[in-house]
């Protein structure tokens, strides 16, 4: 029984990854997850451009992600009200999306949006860097879902960043996989436990 949905693709030199993790106890989480990924990718790709100006690329990514997460939020509430009779607990789903744009000078512009638990990281041969911080609690019940947030707080979940450093790989993980890293808030700040697992994760990815 699969309650998650996943997309990975390219559009005009944008690399796009979207992931929705539906709660197994929520009867309509599978449909909610699939619809969330579908509408997010559809909205985000409409903003895809190739620009060598990091600030232009960054702004475009922010707009794409902001539109995507607002569309996901509306879509989940439509499913909640239309099919689930207004019961949010039937449609509980988290959402992660990352867009990456590689510049010809070797730089990278990337943006992400996240609601719920899960984990992002950027890595190269020398470094393994956590990106942002998920909604982690002391246990599985500590996360939040897309419909947990009011619409006016969605834009604050959008982030974009420019770096001249090398990025060989991005990692997006749902809560089930990220448990191997056990990334508490303290770990995000210090890198503790994350560094310990870099070599093992590298072997798993090869």
């Amino acid at each position: 029984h699969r309650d998650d949905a996943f997309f990975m693709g390219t559009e005009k030199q944008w690399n796009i990854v979207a992931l929705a993790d539906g709660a197994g106890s929520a009867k309509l989480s599978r449909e909610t997850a699939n619809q969330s990924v579908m509408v997010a990718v559809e909205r985000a790709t409409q903003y895809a451009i190739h620009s060598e100006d990091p600030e232009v690329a960054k702004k475009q990514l922010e707009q794409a992600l902001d539109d995507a997460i607002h569309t996901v939020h509306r879509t989940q509430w439509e499913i909640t009200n239309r099919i689930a009779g207004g019961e949010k607990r039937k449609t509980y789903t988290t959402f992660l999306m990352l867009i990456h744009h590689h510049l010809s000078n070797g730089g990278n512009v990337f943006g992400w949006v996240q609601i719920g638990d899960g984990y992002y990281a950027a890595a190269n041969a020398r470094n393994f860097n956590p990106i942002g911080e998920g909604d982690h609690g002391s246990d599985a019940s500590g996360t939040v879902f897309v419909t947990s947030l009011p619409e006016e707080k969605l834009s604050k979940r959008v982030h974009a960043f420019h770096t001249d450093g090398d990025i060989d790989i991005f990692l997006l993980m749902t809560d089930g996989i990220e448990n191997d890293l056990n990334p508490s808030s303290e770990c995000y700040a210090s890198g503790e436990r994350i560094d310990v697992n870099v070599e093992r994760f590298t072997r798993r990815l090869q």
Side-chain angles (χ1 to χ4, degrees):
H1 186 68
R2 186 175 70 86
D3 300 300
D4 302 345
F6 178 82
F7 172 88
M8 182 171 62
T10 60
E11 181 73 22
K12 295 182 181 178
Q13 299 188 355
W14 279 17
N15 301 304
I16 302 172
V17 182
L19 174 63
D21 183 358
S25 60
K27 294 181 179 180
L28 297 172
S29 63
R30 178 182 298 187
E31 177 173 352
T32 308
N34 277 285
Q35 288 292 322
S36 296
V37 167
M38 184 179 70
V39 298
V41 172
E42 181 181 339
R43 295 303 302 172
T45 54
Q46 296 184 27
Y47 293 84
I49 62 168
H50 174 72
S51 175
E52 290 298 322
D53 185 330
E55 290 305 313
V56 172
K58 181 180 173 182
K59 182 177 180 181
Q60 204 72 4
L61 262 65
E62 289 174 335
Q63 291 177 339
L65 291 164
D66 189 71
D67 193 346
I69 194 58
H70 277 84
T71 304
V72 167
H73 189 266
R74 288 193 297 270
T75 298
Q76 291 203 14
W77 270 111
E78 287 173 2
I79 295 173
T80 299
N81 292 325
R82 177 170 51 87
I83 303 177
E87 294 186 53
K88 288 197 298 182
R89 60 187 177 84
K90 291 185 178 181
T91 59
Y92 281 154
T93 307
T94 65
F95 184 78
L96 302 86
M97 189 173 198
L98 184 142
I99 303 175
H100 167 250
H101 177 52
H102 182 71
L103 305 176
S104 61
N105 66 3
N108 295 277
V109 179
F110 61 94
W112 69 95
V113 62
Q114 177 172 1
I115 297 177
D117 49 17
Y119 183 74
Y120 289 99
N124 57 31
R126 300 171 301 280
N127 297 297
F128 185 91
N129 298 309
I131 301 172
E133 182 176 348
D135 299 295
H136 303 284
S138 58
D139 54 39
S141 64
T143 190
V144 300
F145 301 98
V146 172
T147 50
S148 302
L149 294 182
E151 188 172 6
E152 60 268 19
K153 291 188 176 182
L154 299 178
S155 295
K156 294 181 179 180
R157 295 296 182 118
V158 174
H159 308 279
F161 190 72
H162 167 239
T163 177
D164 292 325
D166 296 333
I167 299 176
D168 295 331
I169 189 171
F170 286 101
L171 295 90
L172 276 73
M173 291 164 267
T174 60
D175 56 345
I177 300 174
E178 65 149 350
N179 288 341
D180 288 347
L181 292 173
N182 191 25
S184 66
S185 297
E186 293 77 13
C187 290
Y188 273 102
S190 67
E192 183 184 357
R193 270 285 290 176
I194 294 172
D195 290 339
V196 175
N197 290 277
V198 171
E199 183 177 351
R200 177 163 55 86
F201 260 77
T202 302
R203 289 199 303 268
R204 288 171 62 178
L205 289 167
Q206 290 175 343

